[in-house]
Amino acid sequence: MNPQYDQLYQALTKVVGYIYPNEIELNWSILIVLYPYITGLVAGAFILASLERVFNVNALKPTYVIALLTSFAFLLVATMPLIFHLGQPFRAWEIMITPHLTSAMAIFGFVYIWYLMVVLVLEIWFDYRRDLVIWSNESKGVKKWLYKILTLGVYDISPEAVKWDEKLGYIVTVIGIPSAFLLHGYVGFIFGSIKANPWWSTVMMPIIFLFSAMVSGIALVMVIYIVINYIRKQKIDMLCLDTIAKYLFYIIIIDFTMESLDQIHRFYEAGESFEIISLLMSGKLFFTLLIMQIFIGMLIPLLALGFLQFYKPNEKLRRMIYLVTGILVLIGIFFMRWNVVIGGQLFSKSFLGFTSFKLSLIGTEGFLMASIWLVVPFLILAALLWLFPPWKKSPSEH
Amino acid sequence: MPSQLKRLLVLGVIIISLFLLLKHLATPVSFGQYGHYRGNSLNEIAALPVKYVGSKTCVKCHDSIVALKLEGLHSDIQCENCHGPAYLHIKTPKKDKLFRPDSREFCAKCHSFNKARPEKAVTQQDIKNHHPEKKCITCHNPHQP
């Protein structure tokens, strides 16, 4: 049979009920799931860092730099899923040179560059500047040159200059908090503003994305902190870990409330799209939404962390619980993105039918490709930790 | 002003000027001529070869089939719906043969039962049980079913 027809008719077997022809195939697949997931991790990790810096939560000091570097490592990869999804990597920069000021999607290039260059890179630079100067004197070979270049030729590490680093870094962080909100609120906005899709179109979307971003970012830093200390065989700062977990607990509560509010509103309103959406939630999304996102990713962590707020078992057990809940939360938020992105495309805008989605293993939109973009940030983070070890930094004042 | 801030400002100015220079040099000439795209792309796309030539083109060489089809229930279906794009075939018919869709699966694409398909538009047939041993075209002439 003609292969073209073959594909079309194979595709038709995935359909239930009545759907429009352009809805059979999901245009946004796993790479677009990764994009909000990764940017969320970036924004969340950054907000954890700013808690220490701007809101003076001193217990979080040990994770300040780790959180910043994590945020940076993930930000470097944040555009990759998009670029690979679009399949025209050599045209990616055109989004910058032909800016489209009234398109929310097209403005991403600038939101991204702002956050990368003006917020993260600057904050890390100010934080590391003194150490870069010291390390450029102490180390040898390529590393020496790298540090030298990164100092940008400013070798002044007098107390006044360092004080300026502090001050400027603080200002950047203050600018950074709204920027982190902008970056991830923006991602939610893109979905929330698609008025044709009742699963996405809600003003709550940016806020839900923000809080879930904080949840995932904080969980990520918590997990990374535990793992780093395990690898380096260092004693973990339990106060710090408890504090992170406390914030994680609070923010999960807020996130859970927001998401429930959104759903309750949908139920109560019971608009014309309600029937298809309730079918979606109890059918195609049953596993990813009710089991993975809500049960595994929210209720269990909430119970575990809530329990630890009142009762503190010994350190080893607590660490174990934190590690496991951290990972569960990360999985849960991944499925939250999945349910938004994939779920929103599974039902027909006629509200009369469904298509289905099967993740392939290989190919540009496959599982392996997606895994690569989840592993790469960790490799970058490892390289960053090796080049700029936070534990070798001279102690800072903030 | 502290020295590190001075250095950063210089660097910032350099980066922004480089960006503006790049924007100036790399923006395509006809960009924005009509809208937020390259004006020239309209002509480039219009100049691409047309692959579907339409049923009228076939009359010249297959007049009997065209006439046959016009009388039957498949009269609304374009030749190329079944035979595929013919832009090469009409120039070199001996070399570029068209697809001969003679399998049962092919007819089933339009005629098998499918809830999503309006029943009045295409007659639906239970393909599994409708004379399963033979090809559809042994009994139905595809051009006049």
Side-chain angles (χ1 to χ4, degrees):
Chain A
M1 204 193 307
N2 185 329
Q4 277 169 339
Y5 292 126
D6 212 32
Q7 272 176 9
L8 174 63
Y9 282 85
Q10 210 113 67
L12 273 179
T13 59
K14 311 193 296 193
V15 172
V16 187
Y18 181 79
I19 81 170
Y20 297 126
N22 59 343
E23 294 170 330
I24 300 176
E25 206 50 59
L26 266 66
N27 290 315
W28 288 357
S29 147
I30 182 138
L31 290 182
I32 305 298
V33 175
L34 278 190
Y35 157 63
Y37 187 54
I38 293 180
T39 44
L41 294 172
V42 173
F46 181 83
I47 286 169
L48 183 66
S50 8
L51 270 180
E52 193 270 338
R53 183 100 191 225
V54 177
F55 302 107
N56 288 324
V57 184
N58 279 328
L60 294 179
K61 214 170 232 173
T63 54
Y64 172 69
V65 180
I66 294 179
L68 276 188
L69 293 182
T70 305
S71 185
F72 183 57
F74 276 82
L75 190 61
L76 287 180
V77 194
T79 54
M80 285 321 204
L82 287 182
I83 290 175
F84 275 76
H85 168 77
L86 293 169
Q88 296 282 0
F90 297 111
R91 289 204 209 154
W93 59 292
E94 288 181 14
I95 197 175
M96 306 296 297
I97 59 160
T98 57
H100 194 310
L101 301 177
T102 53
S103 156
M105 276 201 191
I107 222 69
F108 176 68
F110 292 95
V111 174
Y112 176 83
I113 287 288
W114 168 268
Y115 195 70
L116 177 73
M117 301 299 286
V118 181
V119 177
L120 264 183
V121 168
L122 274 192
E123 181 165 348
I124 295 177
W125 191 71
F126 283 129
D127 201 63
Y128 269 98
R129 205 184 62 79
R130 177 173 44 170
D131 308 283
L132 287 174
V133 175
I134 297 172
W135 292 341
S136 73
N137 288 328
E138 286 171 355
S139 33
K140 289 194 181 61
V142 184
K143 256 186 166 182
K144 184 188 183 78
W145 280 102
L146 183 76
Y147 294 140
K148 259 213 160 93
I149 293 170
L150 288 179
T151 60
L152 299 179
V154 185
Y155 299 106
D156 184 0
I157 47 171
S158 60
E160 294 90 77
V162 173
K163 226 185 202 100
W164 269 106
D165 285 337
E166 283 287 322
K167 212 184 270 175
L168 294 169
Y170 181 82
I171 295 173
V172 171
T173 320
V174 171
I175 301 174
I177 295 173
S179 305
F181 278 56
L182 177 74
L183 176 75
H184 206 67
Y186 157 86
V187 179
F189 179 83
I190 286 204
F191 288 97
S193 62
I194 297 180
K195 61 173 172 251
N197 190 322
W199 185 237
W200 290 339
S201 169
T202 148
V203 276
M204 296 284 282
M205 202 54 118
I207 301 170
I208 292 176
F209 262 56
L210 256 177
F211 280 97
S212 55
M214 287 190 224
V215 169
S216 64
I218 293 175
L220 178 69
V221 175
M222 187 169 86
V223 169
I224 288 178
Y225 182 56
I226 297 175
V227 172
I228 286 180
N229 278 288
Y230 178 78
I231 295 174
R232 295 186 59 234
K233 302 198 173 60
Q234 294 287 317
K235 200 175 141 32
I236 215 155
D237 181 341
M238 240 14 227
L239 177 66
C240 171
L241 208 53
D242 284 336
T243 314
I244 302 182
K246 190 176 75 192
Y247 279 103
L248 184 59
F249 176 61
Y250 293 154
I251 292 179
I252 294 182
I253 293 182
I254 301 180
D255 185 32
F256 188 55
T257 318
M258 296 283 176
E259 285 185 35
S260 315
L261 184 62
D262 187 35
Q263 295 301 353
I264 291 169
H265 187 248
R266 237 190 268 269
F267 274 82
Y268 189 75
E269 212 179 35
E272 50 181 346
S273 61
F274 178 65
E275 198 179 339
I276 190 91
I277 282 181
S278 51
L279 279 175
L280 179 75
M281 293 199 285
S282 58
K284 299 238 170 206
L285 291 187
F286 180 80
F287 176 71
T288 53
L289 179 73
L290 298 179
I291 308 271
M292 296 309 281
Q293 180 186 333
I294 296 182
F295 186 68
I296 304 267
M298 264 201 181
L299 293 180
I300 294 185
L302 258 185
L303 285 179
L305 294 175
F307 174 71
L308 291 186
Q309 301 305 311
F310 301 108
Y311 173 75
K312 294 239 185 297
N314 67 35
E315 294 200 350
K316 204 161 163 230
L317 185 63
R318 233 152 72 217
R319 216 164 47 217
M320 227 26 238
I321 298 179
Y322 288 148
L323 183 66
V324 173
T325 43
I327 292 171
L328 290 186
V329 164
L330 285 173
I331 294 174
I333 300 291
F334 175 82
F335 278 100
M336 183 257 169
R337 312 296 189 221
W338 174 284
N339 293 326
V340 169
V341 176
I342 303 291
Q345 301 170 83
L346 285 179
F347 66 94
S348 165
K349 304 318 164 276
S350 67
F351 304 155
L352 292 174
F354 291 104
T355 185
S356 48
F357 174 68
K358 196 165 171 289
L359 182 62
S360 53
L361 184 65
I362 45 175
T364 46
E365 296 272 335
F367 174 77
L368 288 179
M369 186 68 162
S371 317
I372 290 178
W373 296 123
L374 269 187
V375 171
V376 169
F378 288 100
L379 300 181
I380 297 180
L381 179 62
L384 286 174
L385 287 173
W386 173 70
L387 274 174
F388 312 110
W391 38 90
K392 292 209 183 122
K393 273 167 70 64
S394 36
S396 65
E397 280 168 32
H398 66 78
Chain B
M1 202 197 289
S3 53
Q4 64 265 47
L5 190 59
K6 244 185 259 164
R7 188 61 51 95
L8 279 180
L9 286 179
V10 173
L11 196 68
V13 170
I14 293 177
I15 291 178
I16 291 177
S17 349
L18 274 179
F19 170 73
L20 291 177
L21 185 72
L22 184 75
K23 179 164 160 38
H24 179 70
L25 294 178
T27 307
V29 189
S30 63
F31 188 85
Q33 194 179 350
Y34 307 114
H36 199 80
Y37 57 90
R38 256 175 344 108
N40 287 351
S41 63
L42 290 184
N43 295 332
E44 282 166 26
I45 293 167
L48 291 174
V50 178
K51 299 199 170 166
Y52 285 88
V53 294
S55 294
K56 291 204 180 81
T57 337
C58 319
V59 182
K60 203 164 65 179
C61 312
H62 304 292
D63 53 346
S64 58
I65 292 184
V66 175
L68 184 69
K69 192 175 81 77
L70 274 179
E71 285 160 20
L73 280 160
H74 275 170
S75 59
D76 284 344
I77 304 174
Q78 293 289 311
C79 314
E80 288 163 298
N81 266 7
C82 294
H83 290 294
Y87 68 115
L88 294 173
H89 174 76
I90 54 170
K91 287 191 201 118
T92 50
K94 292 249 150 50
K95 194 164 130 264
D96 296 300
K97 297 233 165 124
L98 288 182
F99 171 59
R100 276 177 100 107
D102 56 0
S103 68
R104 286 178 68 87
E105 288 80 8
F106 178 77
C107 309
K109 285 169 180 176
C110 292
H111 285 290
S112 65
F113 280 114
N114 185 334
K115 276 188 211 139
R117 186 181 288 148
E119 207 158 334
K120 286 189 198 109
V122 185
T123 313
Q124 302 186 9
Q125 186 60 275
D126 183 2
I127 302 296
K128 283 216 180 73
N129 297 320
H130 183 64
H131 308 292
E133 67 289 346
K134 293 198 190 102
K135 284 186 172 176
C136 315
I137 52 169
T138 46
C139 305
H140 300 281
N141 182 338
H143 301 128
Q144 201 182 59

Short mmCIF file of all heavy atoms in Angstrom, two decimals, chain A residues 117-161:
data_model
loop_
_atom_site.label_atom_id
_atom_site.label_comp_id
_atom_site.label_asym_id
_atom_site.label_seq_id
_atom_site.Cartn_x
_atom_site.Cartn_y
_atom_site.Cartn_z
N MET A 117 21.56 36.40 31.02
CA MET A 117 22.69 37.31 31.05
C MET A 117 22.58 38.31 32.19
O MET A 117 23.54 38.59 32.87
CB MET A 117 22.81 38.06 29.72
CG MET A 117 22.99 37.17 28.53
SD MET A 117 24.47 36.18 28.63
CE MET A 117 25.71 37.42 28.29
N VAL A 118 21.41 38.89 32.35
CA VAL A 118 21.32 39.99 33.29
C VAL A 118 21.13 39.47 34.71
O VAL A 118 21.60 40.08 35.67
CB VAL A 118 20.17 40.95 32.90
CG1 VAL A 118 20.09 42.10 33.87
CG2 VAL A 118 20.41 41.46 31.51
N VAL A 119 20.48 38.33 34.85
CA VAL A 119 20.24 37.86 36.21
C VAL A 119 21.26 36.81 36.64
O VAL A 119 22.15 37.06 37.45
CB VAL A 119 18.80 37.33 36.36
CG1 VAL A 119 18.61 36.78 37.74
CG2 VAL A 119 17.82 38.44 36.09
N LEU A 120 21.19 35.64 36.02
CA LEU A 120 21.97 34.52 36.56
C LEU A 120 23.47 34.71 36.43
O LEU A 120 24.21 34.61 37.41
CB LEU A 120 21.55 33.23 35.88
CG LEU A 120 20.51 32.43 36.64
CD1 LEU A 120 20.22 31.15 35.92
CD2 LEU A 120 21.01 32.14 38.05
N VAL A 121 23.90 35.01 35.20
CA VAL A 121 25.35 35.12 34.98
C VAL A 121 25.92 36.22 35.87
O VAL A 121 26.96 36.05 36.51
CB VAL A 121 25.63 35.41 33.49
CG1 VAL A 121 27.07 35.82 33.30
CG2 VAL A 121 25.33 34.18 32.67
N LEU A 122 25.22 37.34 35.94
CA LEU A 122 25.74 38.45 36.75
C LEU A 122 25.79 38.07 38.23
O LEU A 122 26.79 38.32 38.91
CB LEU A 122 24.86 39.68 36.58
CG LEU A 122 25.20 40.56 35.39
CD1 LEU A 122 24.46 41.87 35.50
CD2 LEU A 122 26.69 40.82 35.32
N GLU A 123 24.72 37.45 38.70
CA GLU A 123 24.70 37.13 40.12
C GLU A 123 25.83 36.15 40.46
O GLU A 123 26.53 36.32 41.46
CB GLU A 123 23.35 36.55 40.54
CG GLU A 123 23.34 36.23 42.02
CD GLU A 123 21.94 36.00 42.57
OE1 GLU A 123 20.97 36.31 41.87
OE2 GLU A 123 21.85 35.52 43.70
N ILE A 124 25.99 35.15 39.59
CA ILE A 124 27.06 34.17 39.85
C ILE A 124 28.42 34.86 39.76
O ILE A 124 29.31 34.62 40.56
CB ILE A 124 26.94 32.99 38.87
CG1 ILE A 124 25.64 32.25 39.12
CG2 ILE A 124 28.12 32.05 39.02
CD1 ILE A 124 25.38 31.12 38.17
N TRP A 125 28.54 35.74 38.79
CA TRP A 125 29.82 36.41 38.61
C TRP A 125 30.18 37.25 39.84
O TRP A 125 31.29 37.17 40.36
CB TRP A 125 29.78 37.30 37.36
CG TRP A 125 31.12 37.82 36.96
CD1 TRP A 125 32.15 37.11 36.43
CD2 TRP A 125 31.58 39.17 37.08
NE1 TRP A 125 33.22 37.91 36.19
CE2 TRP A 125 32.92 39.20 36.59
CE3 TRP A 125 31.02 40.36 37.54
CZ2 TRP A 125 33.67 40.37 36.54
CZ3 TRP A 125 31.78 41.51 37.48
CH2 TRP A 125 33.09 41.51 37.00
N PHE A 126 29.24 38.03 40.30
CA PHE A 126 29.53 38.84 41.49
C PHE A 126 29.85 37.96 42.67
O PHE A 126 30.72 38.27 43.49
CB PHE A 126 28.33 39.74 41.84
CG PHE A 126 28.22 40.94 40.95
CD1 PHE A 126 27.03 41.26 40.31
CD2 PHE A 126 29.31 41.77 40.75
CE1 PHE A 126 26.93 42.36 39.50
CE2 PHE A 126 29.22 42.89 39.94
CZ PHE A 126 28.02 43.18 39.30
N ASP A 127 29.17 36.84 42.77
CA ASP A 127 29.40 35.97 43.90
C ASP A 127 30.77 35.32 43.84
O ASP A 127 31.40 35.07 44.86
CB ASP A 127 28.31 34.90 43.95
CG ASP A 127 28.20 34.32 45.34
OD1 ASP A 127 27.88 35.08 46.25
OD2 ASP A 127 28.48 33.11 45.50
N TYR A 128 31.23 35.04 42.64
CA TYR A 128 32.48 34.30 42.48
C TYR A 128 33.69 35.20 42.20
O TYR A 128 34.79 34.71 42.11
CB TYR A 128 32.36 33.31 41.32
CG TYR A 128 31.87 31.94 41.72
CD1 TYR A 128 30.55 31.57 41.59
CD2 TYR A 128 32.77 30.99 42.23
CE1 TYR A 128 30.11 30.31 41.95
CE2 TYR A 128 32.33 29.72 42.58
CZ TYR A 128 31.01 29.40 42.44
OH TYR A 128 30.60 28.15 42.80
N ARG A 129 33.46 36.50 42.00
CA ARG A 129 34.53 37.32 41.45
C ARG A 129 35.80 37.23 42.29
O ARG A 129 36.89 36.98 41.77
CB ARG A 129 34.07 38.77 41.33
CG ARG A 129 34.81 39.55 40.27
CD ARG A 129 34.40 40.99 40.26
NE ARG A 129 34.69 41.65 41.52
CZ ARG A 129 35.90 42.08 41.86
NH1 ARG A 129 36.91 41.94 41.03
NH2 ARG A 129 36.09 42.66 43.03
N ARG A 130 35.64 37.38 43.61
CA ARG A 130 36.84 37.33 44.45
C ARG A 130 37.54 35.98 44.31
O ARG A 130 38.76 35.91 44.15
CB ARG A 130 36.46 37.57 45.90
CG ARG A 130 37.65 37.46 46.81
CD ARG A 130 37.34 37.85 48.22
NE ARG A 130 36.06 37.28 48.66
CZ ARG A 130 35.67 37.33 49.94
NH1 ARG A 130 36.43 37.92 50.84
NH2 ARG A 130 34.53 36.82 50.30
N ASP A 131 36.76 34.90 44.30
CA ASP A 131 37.36 33.58 44.20
C ASP A 131 38.03 33.37 42.85
O ASP A 131 39.08 32.74 42.77
CB ASP A 131 36.28 32.52 44.42
CG ASP A 131 35.51 32.77 45.69
OD1 ASP A 131 36.05 32.49 46.76
OD2 ASP A 131 34.38 33.31 45.60
N LEU A 132 37.44 33.93 41.81
CA LEU A 132 38.04 33.79 40.49
C LEU A 132 39.42 34.42 40.49
O LEU A 132 40.38 33.86 39.95
CB LEU A 132 37.16 34.46 39.43
CG LEU A 132 35.87 33.72 39.07
CD1 LEU A 132 35.02 34.56 38.13
CD2 LEU A 132 36.17 32.38 38.44
N VAL A 133 39.53 35.60 41.11
CA VAL A 133 40.83 36.26 41.16
C VAL A 133 41.82 35.40 41.94
O VAL A 133 42.95 35.15 41.49
CB VAL A 133 40.69 37.66 41.81
CG1 VAL A 133 42.06 38.30 41.96
CG2 VAL A 133 39.78 38.54 40.98
N ILE A 134 41.36 34.89 43.09
CA ILE A 134 42.27 34.07 43.90
C ILE A 134 42.67 32.80 43.14
O ILE A 134 43.85 32.46 43.03
CB ILE A 134 41.60 33.70 45.24
CG1 ILE A 134 41.33 34.98 46.03
CG2 ILE A 134 42.46 32.74 46.04
CD1 ILE A 134 40.50 34.77 47.28
N TRP A 135 41.67 32.13 42.56
CA TRP A 135 41.95 30.88 41.86
C TRP A 135 42.83 31.11 40.63
O TRP A 135 43.66 30.27 40.29
CB TRP A 135 40.64 30.21 41.41
CG TRP A 135 39.82 29.71 42.56
CD1 TRP A 135 40.27 29.48 43.83
CD2 TRP A 135 38.43 29.41 42.56
NE1 TRP A 135 39.23 29.05 44.62
CE2 TRP A 135 38.09 28.99 43.87
CE3 TRP A 135 37.44 29.43 41.59
CZ2 TRP A 135 36.80 28.61 44.21
CZ3 TRP A 135 36.16 29.05 41.94
CH2 TRP A 135 35.84 28.64 43.24
N SER A 136 42.66 32.25 39.97
CA SER A 136 43.47 32.50 38.78
C SER A 136 44.93 32.65 39.17
O SER A 136 45.83 32.44 38.36
CB SER A 136 42.98 33.73 38.03
OG SER A 136 43.33 34.89 38.73
N ASN A 137 45.19 33.01 40.42
CA ASN A 137 46.59 33.07 40.86
C ASN A 137 47.08 31.69 41.28
O ASN A 137 48.23 31.34 41.04
CB ASN A 137 46.72 34.02 42.06
CG ASN A 137 46.58 35.46 41.61
OD1 ASN A 137 46.97 35.79 40.48
ND2 ASN A 137 46.01 36.29 42.47
N GLU A 138 46.20 30.91 41.88
CA GLU A 138 46.65 29.66 42.48
C GLU A 138 46.75 28.50 41.49
O GLU A 138 47.63 27.66 41.61
CB GLU A 138 45.68 29.25 43.61
CG GLU A 138 45.85 30.09 44.86
CD GLU A 138 44.75 29.83 45.87
OE1 GLU A 138 43.82 29.06 45.54
OE2 GLU A 138 44.84 30.39 46.97
N SER A 139 45.83 28.44 40.51
CA SER A 139 45.82 27.24 39.67
C SER A 139 46.75 27.39 38.47
O SER A 139 47.35 28.43 38.24
CB SER A 139 44.39 26.94 39.23
OG SER A 139 43.68 28.12 39.06
N LYS A 140 46.83 26.29 37.71
CA LYS A 140 47.78 26.25 36.60
C LYS A 140 47.08 25.86 35.32
O LYS A 140 45.97 25.34 35.33
CB LYS A 140 48.86 25.20 36.92
CG LYS A 140 49.79 25.62 38.03
CD LYS A 140 51.01 24.70 38.06
CE LYS A 140 51.94 25.09 39.18
NZ LYS A 140 51.30 24.97 40.52
N GLY A 141 47.81 26.08 34.21
CA GLY A 141 47.36 25.58 32.91
C GLY A 141 46.07 26.23 32.42
O GLY A 141 45.84 27.42 32.61
N VAL A 142 45.25 25.39 31.80
CA VAL A 142 44.03 25.89 31.16
C VAL A 142 43.12 26.56 32.19
O VAL A 142 42.53 27.60 31.94
CB VAL A 142 43.28 24.73 30.47
CG1 VAL A 142 42.07 25.27 29.72
CG2 VAL A 142 44.20 23.99 29.53
N LYS A 143 43.02 25.90 33.35
CA LYS A 143 42.14 26.42 34.38
C LYS A 143 42.50 27.86 34.74
O LYS A 143 41.64 28.72 34.86
CB LYS A 143 42.25 25.55 35.62
CG LYS A 143 41.07 24.62 35.83
CD LYS A 143 41.23 23.93 37.16
CE LYS A 143 39.96 23.25 37.61
NZ LYS A 143 40.12 22.61 38.92
N LYS A 144 43.82 28.10 34.88
CA LYS A 144 44.28 29.43 35.24
C LYS A 144 43.75 30.44 34.22
O LYS A 144 43.24 31.49 34.58
CB LYS A 144 45.81 29.44 35.25
CG LYS A 144 46.42 30.75 35.69
CD LYS A 144 47.93 30.70 35.47
CE LYS A 144 48.60 31.96 35.96
NZ LYS A 144 48.75 32.00 37.42
N TRP A 145 43.88 30.08 32.94
CA TRP A 145 43.46 31.02 31.90
C TRP A 145 41.96 31.22 31.90
O TRP A 145 41.48 32.33 31.68
CB TRP A 145 43.95 30.53 30.53
CG TRP A 145 45.39 30.91 30.38
CD1 TRP A 145 46.47 30.08 30.52
CD2 TRP A 145 45.89 32.22 30.17
NE1 TRP A 145 47.62 30.80 30.40
CE2 TRP A 145 47.30 32.12 30.17
CE3 TRP A 145 45.30 33.48 29.98
CZ2 TRP A 145 48.12 33.23 30.00
CZ3 TRP A 145 46.12 34.57 29.80
CH2 TRP A 145 47.51 34.45 29.81
N LEU A 146 41.27 30.14 32.15
CA LEU A 146 39.81 30.25 32.20
C LEU A 146 39.39 31.23 33.29
O LEU A 146 38.62 32.17 33.06
CB LEU A 146 39.20 28.87 32.46
CG LEU A 146 37.68 28.87 32.46
CD1 LEU A 146 37.17 28.93 31.03
CD2 LEU A 146 37.12 27.65 33.15
N TYR A 147 39.95 31.02 34.48
CA TYR A 147 39.61 31.92 35.59
C TYR A 147 40.01 33.35 35.26
O TYR A 147 39.28 34.30 35.52
CB TYR A 147 40.32 31.48 36.88
CG TYR A 147 39.86 30.14 37.41
CD1 TYR A 147 40.77 29.24 37.94
CD2 TYR A 147 38.52 29.80 37.39
CE1 TYR A 147 40.35 28.01 38.43
CE2 TYR A 147 38.09 28.58 37.87
CZ TYR A 147 39.01 27.68 38.39
OH TYR A 147 38.60 26.48 38.87
N LYS A 148 41.18 33.47 34.63
CA LYS A 148 41.66 34.81 34.28
C LYS A 148 40.68 35.51 33.35
O LYS A 148 40.32 36.66 33.56
CB LYS A 148 43.03 34.69 33.58
CG LYS A 148 44.20 35.00 34.47
CD LYS A 148 45.32 35.65 33.67
CE LYS A 148 46.25 36.39 34.60
NZ LYS A 148 47.40 35.61 35.04
N ILE A 149 40.25 34.79 32.32
CA ILE A 149 39.31 35.40 31.37
C ILE A 149 38.02 35.78 32.09
O ILE A 149 37.46 36.85 31.89
CB ILE A 149 39.02 34.43 30.21
CG1 ILE A 149 40.29 34.24 29.38
CG2 ILE A 149 37.88 34.95 29.33
CD1 ILE A 149 40.20 33.16 28.36
N LEU A 150 37.59 34.88 32.98
CA LEU A 150 36.31 35.13 33.64
C LEU A 150 36.37 36.31 34.62
O LEU A 150 35.34 36.88 34.95
CB LEU A 150 35.84 33.87 34.37
CG LEU A 150 35.36 32.77 33.43
CD1 LEU A 150 34.93 31.55 34.21
CD2 LEU A 150 34.22 33.26 32.55
N THR A 151 37.57 36.67 35.08
CA THR A 151 37.62 37.86 35.93
C THR A 151 37.38 39.12 35.12
O THR A 151 37.19 40.20 35.67
CB THR A 151 38.99 38.01 36.61
OG1 THR A 151 39.97 38.14 35.59
CG2 THR A 151 39.31 36.85 37.51
N LEU A 152 37.41 38.99 33.79
CA LEU A 152 37.26 40.13 32.88
C LEU A 152 38.36 41.17 33.13
O LEU A 152 38.18 42.35 32.85
CB LEU A 152 35.89 40.80 33.03
CG LEU A 152 34.67 39.93 32.73
CD1 LEU A 152 33.41 40.74 32.95
CD2 LEU A 152 34.72 39.40 31.31
N GLY A 153 39.47 40.73 33.68
CA GLY A 153 40.59 41.65 33.88
C GLY A 153 40.46 42.57 35.07
O GLY A 153 41.22 43.52 35.21
N VAL A 154 39.48 42.30 35.93
CA VAL A 154 39.36 43.12 37.14
C VAL A 154 39.94 42.31 38.30
O VAL A 154 39.37 41.30 38.68
CB VAL A 154 37.89 43.47 37.44
CG1 VAL A 154 37.81 44.41 38.62
CG2 VAL A 154 37.24 44.07 36.22
N TYR A 155 41.09 42.73 38.81
CA TYR A 155 41.74 41.93 39.84
C TYR A 155 41.61 42.54 41.23
O TYR A 155 42.24 42.09 42.17
CB TYR A 155 43.22 41.72 39.50
CG TYR A 155 43.39 40.97 38.21
CD1 TYR A 155 43.80 41.63 37.05
CD2 TYR A 155 43.10 39.61 38.14
CE1 TYR A 155 43.93 40.95 35.86
CE2 TYR A 155 43.22 38.92 36.95
CZ TYR A 155 43.64 39.60 35.81
OH TYR A 155 43.75 38.92 34.64
N ASP A 156 40.83 43.58 41.34
CA ASP A 156 40.71 44.30 42.60
C ASP A 156 39.88 43.49 43.59
O ASP A 156 38.69 43.30 43.40
CB ASP A 156 40.03 45.65 42.32
CG ASP A 156 39.96 46.50 43.57
OD1 ASP A 156 40.44 46.03 44.62
OD2 ASP A 156 39.44 47.63 43.48
N ILE A 157 40.55 42.95 44.64
CA ILE A 157 39.75 42.25 45.65
C ILE A 157 39.93 42.90 47.02
O ILE A 157 39.93 42.24 48.05
CB ILE A 157 40.04 40.75 45.72
CG1 ILE A 157 41.53 40.48 45.74
CG2 ILE A 157 39.39 40.02 44.59
CD1 ILE A 157 41.86 39.02 46.03
N SER A 158 40.10 44.19 47.00
CA SER A 158 40.16 44.92 48.26
C SER A 158 38.80 44.83 48.95
O SER A 158 37.80 44.58 48.28
CB SER A 158 40.50 46.39 47.98
OG SER A 158 39.49 46.93 47.17
N PRO A 159 38.75 45.00 50.27
CA PRO A 159 37.47 44.90 50.98
C PRO A 159 36.40 45.79 50.36
O PRO A 159 35.23 45.39 50.29
CB PRO A 159 37.82 45.36 52.39
CG PRO A 159 39.26 45.08 52.53
CD PRO A 159 39.88 45.21 51.18
N GLU A 160 36.80 47.00 49.87
CA GLU A 160 35.76 47.86 49.30
C GLU A 160 35.18 47.21 48.05
O GLU A 160 33.96 47.18 47.85
CB GLU A 160 36.34 49.23 48.89
CG GLU A 160 36.82 50.09 50.03
CD GLU A 160 38.28 49.82 50.32
OE1 GLU A 160 39.12 50.31 49.57
OE2 GLU A 160 38.57 49.08 51.29
N ALA A 161 36.09 46.68 47.20
CA ALA A 161 35.62 46.08 45.95
C ALA A 161 34.71 44.90 46.25
O ALA A 161 33.66 44.73 45.62
CB ALA A 161 36.81 45.63 45.12
#
